[in-house]
Amino acid sequence: MATLPRHPNDDMAALRESLRGERAALEQDFLKHNNAARLLAAHTRLIDRYLRRIWRQLALPRHIALVAVGGYARCKLYPKSDIDLLILLDAGSEKLLAGHPPDEALQQKLHRLVGMLWDIGLEVGHSVRTVAQCLSESADVTVQTNLLEARLLCGSNPLFNELRNSVQQRLDLRAFYLAKLQEQQRRHARYAESDYNLEPNLKESPGGLRDLQTVTWIARAAGLGTHWSELAQIGLLTAAEARQVARHSALLATLRIRLHYLAKRHEDRLLFDFQTQLAEQMGIRASANRRASEYLMQRYYRTKLAVRQFNAIMLQNLHDYLFGETPVRRILNERFRIVGTLLDIRDEQLFERTPEAIFELFLLMEQHGELSDPSARALRALWRAQRRVDASFRRNQLNRAHFMEILRQPQGVLHALRRMNQYGILGRYLPAFGRIVGQMQHDLFHVYTVDEHILMVVRNLRRFAAPEHAQEIPLCSKLIGEFARPEVLYIAGLFHDIAKGRNGDHSQLGKKDARAFCVQHQLSGADTSLIVWLVEHHLTLSATAQKQDLSDPDVIAGFAGKIKNDRYLVALYLLTVADIRGTSPEIWNAWKAKLMEDLFWLTRRYLSDGKVSDQLGEIRRAAADALNLYALPPDAYRLLWAQLDDSYFMDHAPQEIAWHTRLLAFKVNAAAPIVKARLSRAGEGLQVMVYCPDQRGLFARICNFFARMNYTIAEAKIHTTRHGYALDSFQIREAAHGETAYRDIMTYIEFELAQQITQAKPIVLAGPGRVSRQLKHFPISTEVEIKPDNKGMYVLSLVAGDRPGLLARIALVLDRHNIRLHRAKINTLGSRAEDVFWISGAALAQPEQAKALHSALMGGC
């Protein structure tokens, strides 16, 4: 019997299975040997083989060529990366590209080529061009870069050489350098957002693989080489530096390869979903107080710092090579000179011979505003001399004096500290700081590493003093302008979180480090005491303002009892605001600002007068002044204000009180619910007021309404009037953070929520909603505490991971246990909820019922 001929699809299926099997074998080999360079080269060779086989199988004309571009051309093809190809046609094929195919057979073969590549599982990105068209497209620096590193796979060698020679002849090295530099600057700006601090892009983020590639692209274009060892041979870097950067490159490549395999797709971001698995794969284990993923990310961030420093050094070296050395503008002293806008050293061995000059470099950068950066030679010398910042260096009184002088300069303090951190100097001079460099905080609201957060706090303190930012927080700008020796604040900022990640209370551990620093640097006893106190109490003001009743004189008196004098209060207020604003761009808002400022003024007057001042009276007067602008006389709202207790006035800004009063002055005893919405004065979102006779489950009903709309409640102020009405105010925003036309839904909220309150139907909770990926992978333990206050009520403090419908579930639990809600302070910190409720009910006084309530709250969160 004759054998049936094989169908072409059978060949494709066999090739597809063969390719899949060989790729799987490469993956297993990598997981066994953990050799990134070996995997990338082997994967490239594998794809080369399959492409050449199909090219030959289709018998494509000899006068065209198949060319590898991009990472594939560099023989660094990552497991799930696209395979970038150029199908290069000769000049006689131009009509084909213009839509007038001279050769129908060639056109069909090209379509079939691409189709077959996809059929067997090759994710190709391709272009079809002639040499002339390639040269025309090379005006784009990305295309030009791809063509410079192109590699012939099969086809016409003369045609490929024509392309390569033409690209090289048209290359303007200086213009190429400037274009790649500008490209990098744009990329750094694009990937500098906070999201990329938490989940950085291994390829594109500052300090990623692209920063290393930028150096090699320019070096290749200049004919200097493509490997670090080649650049070392011509003196652009030392052999030791070449080995060091190769290690950093290998770590980034290893992480990217593992990420591709874990994600099973082309994924270059270190997403929360994979951080823990990556850490486990690399043999990193959790400790008692830190996750394995946090150790992994610390390794990454330290590598990132080193790559950024190397990138800066090499780009400056390449600039000097391509443009020639800039003439010396000015000799500063026997150690330093100014070259162009750069601070240069006069002796490459300066820091080795005179380590004291290390801090002098940063001091000179502060004192000479015309300087943009240290020179490449100075940076390389700093890199090599890092080990000279040792115990002997730290004990040197001149170095200690220089460090204090850096902190006391009128300009450039933040830039100096950031440079010292980037170049590895700050962490070696302050070993406690060195331990937290690159340390991630998976606490659901810090979006920076600990070292970056600390420097953001110093940045905010400096920003308060800048006249151009005085409108941001006027009180802070005024206070810091009157604050003597502001370096005290910077030191407190440096040490306030320096003990994060250690076993124990970081405030208590940090104050010991701060005290040792102050003694070593010969600060006065008064300044030492203030710095140590600030580090110990840096969370006290925010905790009091956000979790306690500021209308309670005992709260103010208790807080004031911890404050030694006005200087202590001012320093703590400034540090607290700088700290909160340095956690995340989204944490600070107008409500937090009001709470902090209210507590500051109440405490300042208590310290001055020995009693709680008439803050309440001032708020009432300011609200009355605002109402006068609307021609609303006091008689018109006297009845309404008579129903409002002191806590209402203390919790609301005068303009909020005026808004409520204008809406309710003539409707004090309204039977129907009144719901009004307006654009938030605190930024994004809406402010919604609800006023109606109090009813069981009201808070749960309102919260559930917003949850069903997929809105998150950032703030809630719950008050019950003296005549039994609920007066509640909510700050809401869309959970998805989309481009919402808030004005379009204000009418809907006002009508629909009022209807639901009136109808009072049984509450059907909204679905649990989508939990944030960060909360999913780094869950927060729920904490519930219930304790009596001194006013006959109980205070419920709750910490939990924030999610849609959380407040509605809490409110329903309270309702089912017959607990009455009087007031609430809702505080959302990223994905972390820290809420306080003032409640009452017979169950709270019964141990068994109170225990059942506690369990229900734990289960409901």
Side-chain angles (χ1 to χ4, degrees):
M1 182 181 292
T3 303
L4 291 174
R6 288 176 57 86
H7 191 278
N9 286 342
D10 295 337
D11 291 335
M12 289 298 99
L15 280 176
R16 183 166 55 248
E17 287 304 311
S18 173
L19 176 62
R20 183 183 295 124
E22 292 195 67
R23 278 179 156 175
L26 287 179
E27 179 178 357
Q28 293 305 311
D29 182 77
F30 171 76
L31 295 176
K32 179 179 179 180
H33 297 100
N34 195 40
N35 188 322
R38 172 169 159 167
L39 179 280
L40 296 176
H43 190 215
T44 301
R45 290 194 299 270
L46 174 67
I47 302 306
D48 285 356
R49 183 156 44 87
Y50 277 83
L51 286 172
R52 287 168 179 153
R53 176 174 176 175
I54 292 176
W55 184 271
R56 288 194 302 269
Q57 183 175 327
L58 291 176
L60 285 154
R62 294 182 179 181
H63 57 82
I64 68 174
L66 183 64
V67 179
V69 292
Y72 179 38
R74 295 191 299 274
C75 298
K76 292 185 177 180
L77 182 60
Y78 284 81
K80 303 298 180 181
S81 290
D82 290 344
I83 300 161
D84 293 325
L85 299 173
L86 166 64
I87 300 172
L88 188 62
L89 305 180
D90 62 353
S93 302
E94 286 184 2
K95 292 182 180 179
L96 172 67
L97 296 173
H100 305 287
D103 188 342
E104 186 69 28
L106 175 59
Q107 185 183 39
Q108 290 181 358
K109 284 185 177 181
L110 292 180
H111 282 303
R112 189 176 176 202
L113 169 68
V114 175
M116 288 177 67
L117 295 179
W118 278 97
D119 286 344
I120 68 170
L122 294 178
E123 304 83 4
V124 296
H126 75 285
S127 58
V128 183
R129 296 191 181 104
T130 64
V131 172
Q133 289 171 322
C134 287
L135 295 177
S136 175
E137 293 288 336
S138 68
D140 181 298
V141 71
T142 303
V143 175
Q144 187 179 32
T145 304
N146 281 337
L147 294 176
L148 281 170
E149 57 187 2
R151 179 171 62 89
L152 178 65
L153 292 169
C154 41
S156 173
N157 195 59
L159 181 62
F160 175 72
N161 286 335
E162 179 189 347
L163 171 68
R164 184 166 58 183
N165 294 335
S166 298
V167 170
Q168 198 65 42
Q169 289 170 7
R170 289 170 62 99
L171 178 65
D172 181 333
L173 279 175
R174 292 181 176 181
F176 183 73
Y177 172 92
L178 294 173
K180 297 308 289 185
L181 183 63
Q182 186 179 56
E183 180 184 68
Q184 175 173 291
Q185 291 167 345
R186 288 197 300 266
R187 174 171 51 80
H188 282 189
R190 188 168 66 253
Y191 284 90
E193 298 298 326
S194 59
D195 282 353
Y196 294 103
N197 290 316
L198 293 168
E199 299 176 300
N201 188 302
L202 289 167
K203 180 180 175 183
E204 304 287 356
S205 288
L209 286 164
R210 191 65 91 199
D211 279 7
L212 297 175
Q213 291 164 1
T214 297
V215 173
T216 56
W217 283 329
I218 297 170
R220 177 195 288 267
L224 301 176
T226 58
H227 301 288
W228 308 123
S229 57
E230 294 174 326
L231 300 183
Q233 289 172 7
I234 62 174
L236 279 179
L237 68 164
T238 67
E241 291 166 348
R243 289 192 296 272
Q244 187 175 358
V245 75
R247 286 196 299 272
H248 293 311
S249 177
L251 175 62
L252 293 174
T254 297
L255 288 172
R256 190 181 178 205
I257 291 168
R258 289 186 179 277
L259 188 57
H260 278 205
Y261 283 137
L262 279 173
K264 295 181 173 57
R265 64 177 186 270
H266 184 172
E267 179 58 75
D268 292 334
R269 285 186 68 184
L270 275 171
L271 299 173
F272 300 132
D273 313 52
F274 307 115
Q275 289 177 12
T276 298
Q277 292 172 275
L278 275 172
E280 291 172 353
Q281 281 194 6
M282 298 184 71
I284 300 172
R285 298 289 176 261
S287 65
N289 54 325
R290 290 182 64 191
R291 294 181 173 94
S293 59
E294 292 175 333
Y295 286 112
L296 169 74
M297 296 306 293
Q298 187 165 30
R299 284 183 61 182
Y300 162 77
Y301 285 115
R302 290 182 172 182
T303 292
K304 165 186 169 178
L305 284 174
V307 169
R308 290 198 69 177
Q309 183 177 3
F310 172 80
N311 172 270
I313 292 171
M314 288 303 299
L315 287 181
Q316 283 193 32
N317 279 339
L318 289 167
H319 179 277
D320 290 346
Y321 178 86
L322 295 174
F323 292 84
E325 291 195 11
T326 306
V328 176
R329 279 181 49 197
R330 180 179 167 194
I331 302 296
L332 291 177
N333 55 36
E334 65 273 18
R335 294 172 296 282
F336 294 93
R337 62 183 184 176
I338 296 178
V339 177
T341 62
L342 305 176
L343 180 61
D344 192 27
I345 52 177
R346 301 180 67 183
D347 176 5
E348 289 191 357
Q349 299 301 313
L350 172 64
F351 301 134
E352 296 285 346
R353 294 171 181 158
T354 313
E356 294 81 6
I358 291 175
F359 279 171
E360 186 182 4
L361 176 141
F362 296 103
L363 191 56
L364 289 171
M365 288 293 301
E366 290 179 302
Q367 294 172 342
H368 294 271
E370 71 273 21
L371 294 171
S372 59
D373 286 293
S375 68
R377 186 161 70 158
L379 287 178
R380 289 179 66 185
L382 267 180
W383 191 341
R384 294 194 300 268
Q386 286 182 35
R387 69 185 189 284
R388 299 305 302 271
V389 184
D390 53 16
S392 175
F393 182 98
R394 291 189 287 270
R395 288 193 299 268
N396 186 301
Q397 288 301 323
L398 179 59
N399 291 333
R400 291 175 174 178
H402 275 161
F403 188 75
M404 289 305 303
E405 199 173 349
I406 288 169
L407 296 179
R408 290 173 175 141
Q409 291 300 303
Q411 302 293 332
V413 174
L414 176 64
H415 289 306
L417 291 174
R418 280 189 163 155
R419 285 191 177 102
M420 291 169 75
N421 188 37
Q422 183 178 343
Y423 305 153
I425 301 300
L426 187 58
R428 294 187 68 89
Y429 184 66
L430 301 176
F433 189 91
R435 286 194 288 272
I436 51 90
V437 170
Q439 181 176 315
M440 179 50 76
Q441 306 177 79
H442 285 140
D443 56 11
L444 305 184
F445 62 94
H446 281 89
V447 299
Y448 306 106
T449 57
V450 181
D451 59 314
E452 273 298 309
H453 165 65
I454 284 174
L455 295 179
M456 283 294 290
V457 173
V458 176
R459 172 249 193 195
N460 290 336
L461 290 166
R462 296 286 296 176
R463 192 179 178 93
F464 294 155
E468 62 269 28
H469 301 299
Q471 79 287 350
E472 289 182 2
I473 308 181
L475 178 59
C476 288
S477 297
K478 179 179 183 298
L479 293 174
I480 204 164
E482 301 167 349
F483 194 87
R485 302 183 303 285
E487 67 272 11
V488 166
L489 298 172
Y490 311 149
I491 296 169
L494 281 174
F495 282 90
H496 82 286
D497 273 356
I498 206 166
K500 280 284 185 75
R502 299 190 214 167
N503 288 319
D505 184 338
H506 76 279
S507 299
Q508 295 297 324
L509 295 171
K511 79 173 187 178
K512 295 178 182 178
D513 294 334
R515 186 182 300 280
F517 173 90
C518 293
V519 171
Q520 292 164 1
H521 291 76
Q522 300 181 349
L523 272 73
S524 68
D527 285 349
T528 297
S529 296
L530 175 54
I531 290 168
V532 171
W533 182 85
L534 285 171
V535 173
E536 180 181 9
H537 292 280
H538 71 273
L539 298 173
T540 303
L541 190 147
S542 61
T544 303
Q546 295 181 86
K547 297 183 179 181
Q548 297 195 46
D549 181 0
L550 299 188
S551 66
D552 185 346
D554 292 340
V555 169
I556 305 305
F559 176 73
K562 301 172 185 176
I563 312 293
K564 186 175 181 179
N565 54 41
D566 190 68
R567 179 171 170 82
Y568 274 56
L569 175 62
V570 169
L572 182 59
Y573 174 72
L574 291 170
L575 179 62
T576 300
V577 176
D579 187 16
I580 297 174
R581 287 168 64 88
T583 57
S584 163
E586 297 183 359
I587 295 298
W588 184 258
N589 56 40
W591 182 61
K592 284 187 177 66
K594 180 184 183 302
L595 290 175
M596 306 298 161
E597 191 167 328
D598 283 351
L599 181 55
F600 171 80
W601 286 117
L602 287 166
T603 307
R604 184 174 240 191
R605 287 162 183 152
Y606 185 93
L607 293 173
S608 173
D609 304 338
K611 60 181 181 180
V612 177
S613 66
D614 187 24
Q615 175 81 351
L616 179 63
E618 292 187 7
I619 293 172
R620 283 173 171 266
R621 285 190 289 274
D625 290 342
L627 290 166
N628 283 339
L629 299 176
Y630 294 91
L632 200 64
D635 288 345
Y637 52 84
R638 184 172 286 111
L639 177 60
L640 173 66
W641 281 21
Q643 309 305 322
L644 304 174
D645 59 20
D646 293 350
S647 64
Y648 168 83
F649 288 95
M650 293 299 299
D651 278 355
H652 292 81
Q655 55 87 10
E656 284 184 282
I657 297 169
W659 180 52
H660 292 172
T661 302
R662 287 189 290 113
L663 295 171
L664 304 175
F666 303 106
K667 302 176 182 179
V668 177
N669 296 306
I674 298 172
V675 179
K676 293 294 180 181
R678 67 175 182 175
L679 294 176
S680 172
R681 302 308 193 259
E684 179 191 7
L686 294 174
Q687 188 175 14
V688 179
M689 183 209 74
V690 177
Y691 181 77
C692 65
D694 202 7
Q695 62 178 243
R696 184 166 181 172
L698 175 64
F699 184 63
R701 189 178 308 280
I702 296 170
C703 293
N704 194 54
F705 174 81
F706 292 135
R708 285 187 170 278
M709 289 182 65
N710 197 32
Y711 273 65
T712 184
I713 298 172
E715 302 165 8
K717 301 173 187 177
I718 310 303
H719 289 276
T720 305
T721 67
R722 292 188 173 100
H723 70 316
Y725 274 63
L727 176 48
D728 302 341
S729 182
F730 298 86
Q731 177 77 33
I732 63 170
R733 63 172 180 265
E734 191 176 20
H737 295 284
E739 293 294 326
T740 303
Y742 284 114
R743 291 187 182 277
D744 296 342
I745 60 172
M746 287 165 56
T747 302
Y748 171 81
I749 291 174
E750 292 174 351
F751 175 79
E752 190 63 29
L753 180 53
Q755 285 289 101
Q756 292 194 18
I757 294 171
T758 300
Q759 294 169 1
K761 294 179 180 179
I763 298 172
V764 179
L765 281 177
R770 186 175 180 180
V771 177
S772 72
R773 287 186 302 105
Q774 188 178 10
L775 184 58
K776 177 181 177 182
H777 295 286
F778 306 109
I780 184 171
S781 299
T782 300
E783 301 172 21
V784 174
E785 181 184 45
I786 304 173
K787 59 183 181 181
D789 69 0
N790 58 356
K791 304 294 183 182
M793 287 192 287
Y794 286 78
V795 179
L796 163 61
S797 300
L798 183 143
V799 176
D802 190 34
R803 62 192 71 200
L806 173 65
L807 279 176
R809 290 195 297 276
I810 293 170
L812 271 182
V813 169
L814 296 176
D815 185 62
R816 287 166 183 163
H817 287 77
N818 294 311
I819 301 299
R820 185 181 178 192
L821 176 62
H822 298 271
R823 296 182 57 221
K825 280 191 173 182
I826 306 305
N827 186 25
T828 305
L829 305 169
S831 295
R832 178 187 178 97
E834 295 187 1
D835 303 335
V836 182
F837 306 89
W838 281 262
I839 57 179
S840 64
L844 297 167
Q846 304 298 322
E848 289 301 319
Q849 293 184 42
K851 184 178 179 180
L853 172 62
H854 186 280
S855 298
L857 288 168
M858 291 289 291
C861 297

